[in-house]
Amino acid sequence: MEKFKKIIGIAAPFTRINVDTDLIIPAESLKTISRKGLGKDLFSYIRFNEDGSENKKFILNQPHYKSSQILVTGKNFGCGSSREHAVWALKDFGIKCLIGTEFADIFYNNCFKNGVLPIILKNNQIENIIKIISLAKTSELEIDLENQSIKTKTGKNIGFDILPYLKNNLLEGIDDISKTLEKKKLIDEFEIKIGKHYPWLNKKNG
Amino acid sequence: MSENISPKTLFDKIWNNHVIDNIDENNSLLYIDLHLVHEVTSPQAFEGLRLTKRKVRQPDKTYAVPDHNVPTLNRNKIEDELSKKQLAALEKNTKDFNISYFPIGDVRQGIVHIIGPEQGLTQPGMTIVCGDSHTSTHGAFGALAFGIGTSEVEHVLATQTLMQKPAKNMRINLNGKMQIGITAKDLILGLIGKIGTAGGTGHVIEYSGDAIKNLSMEGRMTICNMSIEAGARAGLIAPDETTFNYINGRNFAPKKDWNEALKFWKSLPSDEGAKYDSEEILEVDKLEPQVTWGTSPQDVCSIKGEVPDPNSEKDLNKKQSIINSLNYMGLKPGTKMEDIKLDQVFIGSCTNSRIEDLRAAADIVKGKNVKTKAMVVPGSGLVRQQAEKEGLDKIFKEAGFEWRESGCSMCLAMNADKLKPGERCASTSNRNFEGRQGKGGRTHLVSPIMAAAAAISGHLTDVRQFI
Ligand code: SF4
């Protein structure tokens, strides 16, 4: 996985609440066996009109926010389905960081597996950021994961919390599986133990 | 296995039983007892295994079934090229990695969360995962079951473990006696209406109280299924005689170890005095049949209610969200829910397509005729077979329902079963998100008997007049 250190990029305000993963990427687009290429279908139900043309009102279609790397979201973003395709689509589109008051659990986890940083802030902090980035000339943010800070064009510096191991995984671009496989011996021992205590679990057909 | 004697919740017990290693206070390596796999969220995970030359650690604890993409008519010929490719990939992956597979055409095929319990694979005290958020369904058996993303699917395939942050404990007491015409679906919709779609975020919800005690396993599965719609990581219900009776004799249920298993299962319910991080109470006595009016499961009201007025909402974000919902749903504030006309009725999905659901719906439609397009999609081949044995298929067909083969179908519209833009549907599924049942489609979530009543009335209606 690629490492996440620091990004400087345009941040788009998308404050709708309860944005579900069906809205981020509809089921129709899940018929793929690849992780790539989903960016074109990101938010497709609201990004495009019936005839396939762009919905000019949608934030990511506005010329200034087309190249956004950061999305500032409403409450409970990413709720609904577990589809990691939602994160793949965001990433493929170019979004590397999300800022919101609250993310749905599975979506939040999925972000970290793909080098996307979800930042949780308080309501008033989000409202402040939205005010700032809504103006084109101050829409750029600097996200510094190492120092856990967000810098705005207006000179504000906002700190954020993140669990140390999640931070570390992003900074190092760590592949969880190889890390877990280092614990093979522990897993082996654990399996012997369950075999003894819960023998019915290890049998096909009871 | 823990030495600590302070009272524990059901969740704590299962968690402690499965921790292989505590990496730090926010991160534990957890053993996974059962991994269910379907065609949509797994291909990239198997691809990852191939690229890194890794194997599936425990093929015997992994079961795969195609459900999201499968046609519910003409099963032998899959028209959609992309669906065909995804289904072929699952078949190949299960062969290459030696995983048990219930293909189309096998009577055991069905929606992944229906077949786990049906086969007796789902048992109390287990950890169960699947690349699907409605894995929470299996919590009805007192198993810790939750949905994971594809990267985690790959992790479980390769290691039979998962890195997890401990969840918080929430208990929800559902007290009282449900009135006639009220089902498990109404309980969970009513509850989500109360706590909201983020009400359970970061928590595992344990449902208790006499309303839960008195529910069948089918009803309990409906409740736990929609825990994810309340934002919870998982739902849990303590195993009891109802649970044990359901499991006994099923294909993969313990046989020679039955008594030993039973003894263990009986040790699982939360201890007296166990602490919860939060608690909620829902009195069910006065609950009426529930129906959604908007595009989130929390947009719900009684069938006797009306479409809300955004102007009476003070919170600006919420007000905007109501405006958006009504706009999408094509509804006017103040409209009586019972006056909302329908184009279609869908009875199916992992929430409500078990035999009990079909029996209850058939009871309502018996001898009547549908006034909308309507279809029944049984949750599995075995549910379908059982229903046909009981003659339910005839009742549905005579009333004008289509009787289909099993799969996810119009719950998420990945196969050919879709709403057209603007079409309005009463559905027994779990999500009324924009476009969930087809682009531009409008969904009203209801119980199976409410769906049945809607089909024979042509509009949303109170099922109690037909009981
Ligand atoms: S029936 Fe619907 S909710 Fe259930 S697994 Fe299938 S798509 Fe998901």
Side-chain angles (χ1 to χ4, degrees):
Chain A
M1 195 173 74
E2 119 204 16
K3 297 178 183 179
F4 188 110
K5 293 257 144 94
K6 190 189 261 189
I7 56 169
I8 299 172
I10 303 288
F14 180 44
T15 54
R16 177 168 169 160
I17 58 173
N18 295 324
V19 169
D20 56 74
T21 50
D22 279 75
L23 196 72
I24 302 174
I25 186 93
E28 192 52 43
S29 309
L30 307 184
K31 295 176 187 173
T32 170
I33 53 172
S34 160
R35 284 180 159 92
K36 301 240 164 63
L38 285 160
K40 64 174 184 1
D41 293 343
L42 178 71
F43 294 122
S44 62
Y45 283 178
I46 48 174
R47 206 169 117 209
F48 304 108
N49 298 318
E50 279 299 301
D51 61 1
S53 63
E54 280 185 359
N55 166 14
K56 295 281 181 251
K57 278 197 233 136
F58 184 60
I59 187 79
L60 294 175
N61 285 334
Q62 293 172 17
H64 184 74
Y65 294 101
K66 271 204 156 156
S67 57
S68 294
Q69 293 185 48
I70 302 159
L71 205 59
V72 182
T73 69
K75 196 177 155 218
N76 201 26
F77 188 88
C79 61
S81 141
S82 66
R83 58 186 71 162
E84 198 161 318
H85 308 67
V87 181
W88 298 336
L90 284 161
K91 199 178 171 192
D92 195 54
F93 181 86
I95 304 287
K96 301 194 175 93
C97 172
L98 300 148
I99 307 178
T101 52
E102 189 178 47
F103 297 97
D105 286 330
I106 308 178
F107 176 83
Y108 185 77
N109 276 344
N110 285 341
C111 285
F112 286 96
K113 311 288 177 195
N114 293 282
V116 172
L117 169 65
I119 298 177
I120 299 173
L121 293 180
K122 295 205 179 64
N123 218 353
N124 60 333
Q125 293 175 307
I126 296 279
E127 279 168 14
N128 256 326
I129 292 185
I130 286 171
K131 261 188 218 136
I132 297 169
I133 61 170
S134 295
L135 290 175
K137 65 174 194 290
T138 54
S139 61
E140 196 180 85
L141 296 177
E142 179 182 321
I143 314 281
D144 181 349
L145 177 57
E146 182 85 66
N147 294 309
Q148 296 178 216
S149 83
I150 303 170
K151 270 202 205 99
T152 69
K153 276 276 174 200
T154 56
K156 277 206 167 61
N157 210 332
I158 303 157
F160 61 87
D161 288 331
I162 179 169
L163 290 176
Y165 81 94
L166 291 175
K167 174 180 176 178
N168 199 45
N169 281 1
L170 281 184
L171 285 173
E172 304 295 330
I174 286 175
D175 160 17
D176 277 341
I177 299 180
S178 22
K179 223 160 90 181
T180 300
L181 286 173
E182 286 169 19
K183 298 190 186 288
K184 184 174 175 304
K185 199 163 155 269
L186 282 179
I187 305 173
D188 289 344
E189 286 166 8
F190 193 87
E191 278 182 342
I192 293 171
K193 198 167 75 181
I194 34 177
K196 234 196 293 172
H197 288 277
Y198 315 105
W200 61 91
L201 285 182
N202 279 353
K203 287 187 196 121
K204 283 220 158 184
N205 270 314
Chain B
M1 266 181 273
S2 166
E3 306 300 323
N4 196 336
I5 50 154
S6 64
K8 290 200 171 48
T9 64
L10 168 58
F11 167 75
D12 297 337
K13 292 182 196 184
I14 304 176
W15 179 271
N16 293 343
N17 259 343
H18 289 85
V19 171
I20 301 170
D21 193 19
N22 278 316
I23 291 151
D24 62 38
E25 61 181 288
N26 286 309
N27 200 16
S28 300
L29 188 64
L30 215 59
Y31 193 76
I32 301 302
D33 294 319
L34 175 65
H35 186 191
L36 303 170
V37 173
H38 67 80
E39 77 277 22
V40 178
T41 55
S42 68
Q44 296 85 351
F46 285 109
E47 201 46 41
L49 291 185
R50 283 200 183 88
L51 287 172
T52 47
K53 302 208 164 39
R54 287 172 179 143
K55 288 192 307 211
V56 174
R57 181 179 169 100
Q58 289 286 1
D60 282 359
K61 299 187 180 201
T62 314
Y63 293 82
V65 68
D67 56 2
H68 285 61
N69 267 309
V70 299
T72 54
L73 278 178
N74 309 325
R75 305 273 263 190
N76 300 328
K77 196 169 170 298
I78 296 161
E79 306 273 344
D80 185 307
E81 281 305 315
L82 291 170
S83 292
K84 203 157 125 189
K85 221 167 140 184
Q86 211 165 42
L87 290 163
L90 183 67
E91 183 154 354
K92 175 167 172 24
N93 289 332
T94 52
K95 252 195 214 116
D96 289 358
F97 291 92
N98 203 16
I99 291 169
S100 299
Y101 179 55
F102 305 134
I104 301 179
D106 186 322
V107 71
R108 297 169 303 172
Q109 181 272 342
I111 305 171
V112 61
H113 310 306
I114 302 272
I115 70 162
E118 187 172 79
Q119 290 298 320
L121 287 164
T122 302
Q123 297 167 20
M126 282 181 138
T127 46
I128 302 175
V129 297
C130 171
D132 192 284
S133 60
H134 291 100
T135 310
S136 61
T137 312
H138 308 260
F141 290 79
L144 177 60
F146 50 90
I148 55 178
T150 299
S151 297
E152 291 176 314
V153 169
E154 187 178 338
H155 192 281
V156 177
L157 288 172
T159 68
Q160 203 59 30
T161 70
L162 206 55
M163 295 277 195
Q164 278 289 300
K165 179 179 160 190
K168 286 195 222 135
N169 281 292
M170 177 185 280
R171 178 163 60 186
I172 299 184
N173 281 302
L174 294 122
N175 296 329
K177 195 168 176 304
M178 285 146 64
Q179 301 294 312
I180 288 171
I182 307 304
T183 69
K185 182 66 161 286
D186 303 296
L187 295 190
I188 189 67
L189 282 173
L191 182 69
I192 294 167
K194 184 172 180 197
I195 68 172
T197 50
T201 304
H203 290 78
V204 165
I205 300 178
E206 181 178 339
Y207 302 94
S208 57
D210 38 349
I212 295 291
K213 268 256 143 243
N214 295 331
L215 275 182
S216 65
M217 281 320 291
E218 278 92 343
R220 293 178 187 184
M221 284 188 255
T222 301
I223 302 255
C224 286
N225 173 275
M226 288 192 71
S227 301
I228 184 73
E229 261 59 65
R233 197 79 178 101
L236 275 175
I237 292 174
D240 61 8
E241 289 304 319
T242 308
T243 324
F244 311 143
N245 290 337
Y246 183 96
I247 298 172
N248 200 356
R250 289 185 187 265
N251 221 354
F252 292 92
K255 306 254 156 53
K256 127 173 132 13
D257 301 311
W258 176 259
N259 287 332
E260 221 180 319
L262 201 59
K263 197 169 145 222
F264 168 64
W265 295 344
K266 286 183 174 170
S267 76
L268 288 167
S270 297
D271 300 329
E272 188 118 2
K275 291 233 162 18
Y276 292 83
D277 299 285
S278 57
E279 298 213 39
E280 277 284 341
I281 294 175
L282 185 78
E283 302 292 347
V284 308
D285 302 278
K286 297 212 176 69
L287 195 72
E288 304 204 290
Q290 301 286 299
V291 53
T292 61
W293 48 262
T295 56
S296 161
Q298 72 185 14
D299 300 342
V300 67
C301 67
S302 152
I303 183 65
K304 294 292 180 211
E306 49 187 49
V307 176
D309 184 351
N311 288 325
S312 50
E313 176 60 59
K314 290 200 185 67
D315 181 307
L316 285 184
N317 275 329
K318 283 191 195 144
K319 181 176 170 175
Q320 190 54 48
S321 145
I322 298 176
I323 294 172
N324 291 348
S325 281
L326 297 190
N327 207 353
Y328 180 85
M329 294 295 290
L331 292 174
K332 287 203 184 63
T335 308
K336 289 208 168 59
M337 292 309 293
E338 290 203 270
D339 289 342
I340 297 175
K341 289 212 166 54
L342 299 163
D343 304 299
Q344 286 219 40
V345 167
F346 171 66
I347 299 180
S349 92
C350 58
T351 313
N352 280 128
S353 64
R354 285 170 280 264
I355 189 70
E356 191 178 88
D357 301 316
L358 304 194
R359 283 181 193 138
D363 243 13
I364 302 291
V365 303
K366 195 169 189 170
K368 307 216 171 57
N369 284 314
V370 299
K371 296 214 175 81
T372 65
K373 256 167 60 185
M375 73 169 148
V376 182
V377 182
S380 71
L382 285 166
V383 169
R384 187 178 140 104
Q385 197 176 58
Q386 179 63 30
E388 288 178 353
K389 219 158 99 191
E390 297 176 20
L392 305 184
D393 60 321
K394 283 204 196 69
I395 297 178
F396 283 118
K397 283 190 275 195
E398 277 166 19
F401 276 87
E402 290 186 43
W403 179 249
R404 299 289 186 95
E405 306 255 11
S406 69
C408 295
S409 177
M410 214 165 69
C411 172
L412 96 162
M414 259 189 103
N415 69 356
D417 311 336
K418 288 184 188 18
L419 293 180
K420 291 195 192 72
E423 271 188 328
R424 188 181 298 283
C425 177
S427 174
T428 66
S429 56
N430 43 51
R431 286 180 177 149
N432 50 347
F433 299 157
E434 285 187 21
R436 174 75 179 186
Q437 296 196 289
K439 188 173 181 178
R442 295 161 170 164
T443 304
H444 295 276
L445 301 176
V446 289
S447 74
I449 51 175
M450 281 285 285
I456 55 177
S457 309
H459 55 86
L460 290 171
T461 193
D462 192 338
V463 62
R464 290 174 292 186
Q465 67 192 290
F466 298 108
I467 298 175

